[in-house]
Amino acid sequence: MNAISRERFSPKSVLTDLVKQGALSQDQAQKVFSMRESVEKKLRRKSGDKKVPFIDILTHLGMARHDKPSEPLDEDAVYQSLAMAWGYEYMKVNPLKLDMETVTKTIPKHFAMKHLVLPVKVSNGELTVATSDPFNTEVIDDLKRVSQMRVRTVMTSRSEIERYINEFFGFRSSIVAASSQYDGAGIDLGNLEQFVKLSSYGEVNSSDHHIVNAVNHLFSYAFDQRASDIHIEPKRDVTVIRMRIDGALHNVYDLPKAIHSAVITRIKAMSRLDMAEKRKPQDGRIKTDKDGTEVEIRVSTVPVAFGEKVVMRVLHPEVMFQNLENLGFTDEDLERFEGLVNRPHGIVLVCGPTGSGKSTTLYSTLRRKASPDLNITTVEDPIEMVHEEFNQIAVQPQVGITFGTILRNILRQDPDIIMIGEMRDLETAENAAQAAMTGHLVLSTLHTNDAPSAITRLLDLGIPPYIIQATLAGVVAQRLVKRICPHCTESYEMSAEKLQGLGLDTGREGGLTLHRGAGCLKCRGTGYLGRLAIFEILSFSDEIRKLTTKSCDVAEVRRQACIEGMVSLRESGVRQLLEGKTTWEELLRVTWENQ
């Protein structure tokens, strides 16, 4: 640190600036100042007597912000307030938008780590650098000379800079080291075009520690970014890594094609797949650890034009097993849903497209109902999340274990509740109906756009109307919408007439107060953080039973269901819109087919 930095980051100066910005009150500042020495001694004992920066001492106290009492005075809040006081832009680094080449090739790792500077963007001959100490002018001058560009400085928290320097340089060094072991003369274009190799070339081995490190980094990165899926896609010259976060895919890395085979083989080894089989699709699973919690990763491989593509679904217990109250049910819908799943027998179907949260709803329901006096048995293809309170059976067609065949056998296992992963054919539907008629509650999923369409879907499978009338208890259709970030939500006015013109009937007139996310550090400027479900719940009443015939009219079923109190997906979404939980753009995106 130079003299200016030492002065700016001194306890007295930092506390004065935080008080001026409203992040701390005068009383809080005095308390911190009086406690700083005792806290520093405690932290130095833990760190092996290393010097502890004052900001670490401040954030260790866990105080609430004076201007926003519901938020903690964490490292981000401190550095953001100081940036405002010092006249610098504060940047919350979004790793999804960082270019690995910019980060790792602009300056050496040892220089970046020594001076805590992170190159984040190059645009029009200007290099944007994130630093926790903008007063280190010598470093900025060095960067100008090395890069031959203008340098713009933005502020970022110290721990975030350290983290991304280690992650990006560490990942790149693994990739470079692994790919350097491959003699580039050998080219494999996968299944589309096979280049004939005239001699043997030593490709990177999947057990190479660089490959192991690279794959481990991918998993850690996916956990940190809350990714639900990891895609590894081979192209002609590179391998593209993409991750699905809050329902949207993001490009993360482009890897050298030379190490594609080694990365795939490593993943196959971890998921116990046949490493030699590259022509057939395979399915496996990996169990790993995140912050002390076991996480399941479901692995699917399939041959595509330029090699094997792998998609890994990240299944976190905190996501798969939730309180029903947190899923997005209104009080009225939750009461209707619990009325269905608390029945002693019958079929309850959860409908929606892939990725609409059906498995989470079913698993959360089963966990709520799990008790010592109930036998819960599931039949899944594959088992998505292992839970010791359920008896879970995986479908294995190669040895004759299908949905239909296993259902006939589990009836002799004295089940109370049966969950079928998907009702996909006549045999499965018939056996599910048989189980329901013999006094069991059957939960399953069906791919339909809305709840009334489930009846015609069952008819299309070949189930006679009288069987549906006797067994179906109700249908739940659902979708996932992005949740407005609670940390940056803001209100604005919009007329009910304008929403009506967009197809969103609020049942109101005049101006409405709606909400949206302004974009902040927590949501990385997107305005959204997480997702919630909207539901459409159809109870199978006597009147709807009368409408269930071979020539069943879905529109008539929908009209009757609405008369009896069913709230449509779009209407359910409008309620969440008016409560400030999501935006009208999200509703139009996920309910376009229900207008």
Side-chain angles (χ1 to χ4, degrees):
M1 274 191 179
N2 58 29
I4 299 176
S5 296
R6 283 194 294 272
E7 170 60 27
R8 288 292 196 173
F9 284 97
S10 68
K12 194 170 184 179
S13 178
V14 167
L15 292 174
T16 299
D17 288 331
L18 291 177
V19 170
K20 286 180 181 178
Q21 293 300 317
L24 280 179
S25 67
Q26 192 65 49
D27 289 342
Q28 285 177 309
Q30 290 174 355
K31 181 179 179 181
V32 172
F33 195 78
S34 64
M35 295 176 64
R36 74 189 191 285
E37 291 183 358
S38 61
V39 174
E40 183 178 12
K41 288 179 182 178
K42 179 180 176 182
L43 292 177
R44 291 187 74 159
R45 283 197 298 269
K46 286 184 178 180
S47 64
D49 208 34
K50 293 180 181 177
K51 184 173 176 59
V52 181
F54 174 67
I55 291 177
D56 290 359
I57 297 171
L58 174 59
T59 55
H60 178 78
L61 293 172
M63 305 182 85
R65 293 184 60 151
H66 175 62
D67 52 354
K68 299 176 183 177
S70 62
E71 297 183 13
L73 188 68
D74 56 16
E75 191 181 22
D76 272 330
V78 171
Y79 275 101
Q80 185 182 25
S81 297
L82 293 177
M84 292 175 65
W86 299 338
Y88 286 92
E89 177 188 344
Y90 185 79
M91 174 184 284
K92 177 71 172 177
V93 176
N94 184 351
L96 297 175
K97 294 182 179 179
L98 286 181
D99 176 56
M100 183 180 288
E101 299 293 303
T102 300
V103 174
T104 60
K105 289 190 175 181
T106 306
I107 56 176
K109 180 183 179 181
H110 71 272
F111 183 90
M113 186 58 78
K114 179 181 179 180
H115 300 290
L116 290 180
V117 288
L118 181 73
V120 294
K121 187 173 68 172
V122 174
S123 177
N124 298 323
E126 181 180 76
L127 172 65
T128 301
V129 176
T131 178
S132 59
D133 181 4
F135 304 107
N136 199 341
T137 53
E138 292 179 5
V139 173
I140 304 303
D141 291 339
D142 288 343
L143 284 173
K144 290 178 182 177
R145 285 193 295 270
V146 170
S147 65
Q148 296 295 302
M149 289 184 281
R150 301 187 309 276
V151 175
R152 184 171 75 97
T153 305
V154 296
M155 278 188 69
T156 303
S157 69
R158 178 188 179 93
S159 64
E160 193 155 280
I161 292 173
E162 290 177 340
R163 172 186 172 189
Y164 291 124
I165 288 174
N166 283 322
E167 284 192 4
F168 276 79
F169 278 95
F171 185 62
R172 182 175 181 272
S173 65
S174 295
I175 297 301
V176 170
S179 57
S180 67
Q181 296 176 32
Y182 177 77
D183 190 329
I187 303 171
D188 181 4
L189 295 178
N191 299 312
L192 184 65
E193 302 157 326
Q194 189 71 27
F195 189 91
V196 178
K197 296 181 183 179
L198 300 180
S199 58
S200 176
Y201 294 93
E203 293 190 0
V204 185
N205 192 286
S206 63
S207 62
D208 180 87
H209 71 278
H210 300 301
I211 291 296
V212 172
N213 290 340
V215 172
N216 289 346
H217 171 82
L218 283 181
F219 289 140
S220 298
Y221 192 80
F223 296 156
D224 289 342
Q225 302 305 314
R226 301 179 297 105
S228 61
D229 298 87
I230 308 168
H231 292 237
I232 303 178
E233 304 174 355
K235 306 301 180 184
R236 183 182 294 271
D237 301 313
V238 298
T239 291
V240 177
I241 308 292
R242 299 199 288 171
M243 294 184 184
R244 189 177 297 278
I245 302 168
D246 287 341
L249 276 172
H250 300 265
N251 273 30
V252 177
Y253 300 123
D254 287 348
L255 303 183
K257 187 66 182 291
I259 66 169
H260 175 80
S261 178
V263 169
I264 299 302
T265 302
R266 170 62 183 165
I267 292 169
K268 283 184 173 181
M270 295 174 71
S271 52
R272 298 182 180 179
L273 297 180
D274 184 350
M275 291 181 279
E277 180 56 75
K278 299 183 179 182
R279 299 168 299 170
K280 296 179 182 178
Q282 297 187 72
D283 293 301
R285 62 194 315 114
I286 300 168
K287 178 169 283 192
T288 186
D289 172 87
K290 178 186 181 292
D291 299 330
T293 302
E294 286 188 352
V295 177
E296 298 258 356
I297 300 173
R298 200 172 72 197
V299 180
S300 171
T301 71
V302 65
V304 294
F306 296 108
E308 281 186 285
K309 177 184 176 183
V310 172
V311 175
M312 294 177 282
R313 170 68 56 89
V314 181
L315 302 167
H316 198 287
E318 292 179 2
V319 175
M320 297 297 290
F321 299 106
Q322 299 188 43
N323 292 327
L324 294 180
E325 291 83 0
N326 297 336
L327 294 181
F329 285 107
T330 62
D331 292 341
E332 182 181 321
D333 279 346
L334 182 57
E335 185 178 345
R336 288 166 67 90
F337 180 69
E338 289 190 318
L340 295 178
V341 298
N342 287 335
R343 294 168 60 111
H345 55 80
I347 297 175
V348 178
L349 297 175
V350 180
C351 302
T354 300
S356 58
K358 301 186 298 296
S359 295
T360 297
T361 299
L362 285 178
Y363 273 123
S364 300
T365 301
L366 292 179
R367 191 182 70 166
R368 169 171 282 197
K369 294 190 66 65
S371 65
D373 57 341
L374 284 179
N375 177 12
I376 298 176
T377 303
T378 75
V379 187
E380 305 171 63
D381 181 21
I383 295 172
E384 292 202 50
M385 177 64 69
V386 176
H387 195 281
E388 62 182 14
E389 292 185 89
F390 314 151
N391 300 294
Q392 295 171 281
I393 303 168
V395 169
Q396 302 177 70
Q398 65 273 20
V399 293
I401 301 178
T402 64
F403 280 113
T405 58
I406 199 63
L407 276 171
R408 288 196 295 271
N409 287 281
I410 63 175
L411 289 181
R412 294 191 286 272
Q413 291 284 312
D414 188 31
D416 295 293
I417 300 174
I418 300 170
M419 194 271 273
I420 304 168
E422 183 182 346
M423 205 171 287
R424 59 177 64 163
D425 54 39
L426 177 59
E427 182 185 20
T428 304
E430 285 178 334
N431 283 288
Q434 182 64 37
M437 285 191 289
T438 53
H440 304 86
L441 179 65
V442 179
L443 307 178
S444 188
T445 66
L446 202 63
H447 287 286
T448 63
N449 286 333
D450 55 21
S453 298
I455 297 173
T456 56
R457 176 68 178 138
L458 292 175
L459 290 169
D460 291 341
L461 287 176
I463 302 298
Y466 71 90
I467 296 291
I468 299 174
Q469 293 169 357
T471 58
L472 190 60
V475 183
V476 179
Q478 67 178 78
R479 295 290 188 280
L480 291 177
V481 295
K482 294 178 184 177
R483 189 191 296 266
I484 294 173
C485 175
H487 305 285
C488 63
T489 182
E490 63 178 17
S491 61
Y492 67 101
E493 298 296 317
M494 190 171 184
S495 70
E497 290 72 25
K498 185 173 181 179
L499 283 174
Q500 178 74 45
L502 294 169
L504 299 175
D505 185 4
T506 62
R508 303 181 186 180
E509 296 181 352
L512 298 173
T513 300
L514 303 181
H515 292 79
R516 63 191 170 202
C520 67
L521 304 178
K522 304 291 185 182
C523 63
R524 294 199 178 92
T526 64
Y528 296 105
L529 188 63
R531 292 185 290 177
L532 60 88
I534 55 175
F535 297 93
E536 178 177 271
I537 303 177
L538 182 152
S539 298
F540 206 61
S541 65
D542 290 338
E543 291 301 318
I544 293 178
R545 281 189 176 86
K546 293 175 184 177
L547 297 173
T548 305
T549 62
K550 285 186 178 180
S551 56
C552 179
D553 185 346
V554 175
E556 187 62 34
V557 171
R558 172 171 287 280
R559 278 193 294 271
Q560 182 59 38
C562 290
I563 290 172
E564 295 175 3
M566 183 185 81
V567 177
S568 71
L569 281 168
R570 181 159 282 191
E571 290 168 342
S572 175
V574 167
R575 291 182 179 182
Q576 302 286 15
L577 171 69
L578 296 178
E579 290 179 10
K581 295 180 180 178
T582 192
T583 62
W584 61 266
E585 293 93 340
E586 271 296 287
L587 291 189
L588 294 179
R589 181 181 68 85
V590 302
T591 64
W592 62 270
E593 76 274 20
N594 301 101
Q595 55 188 347

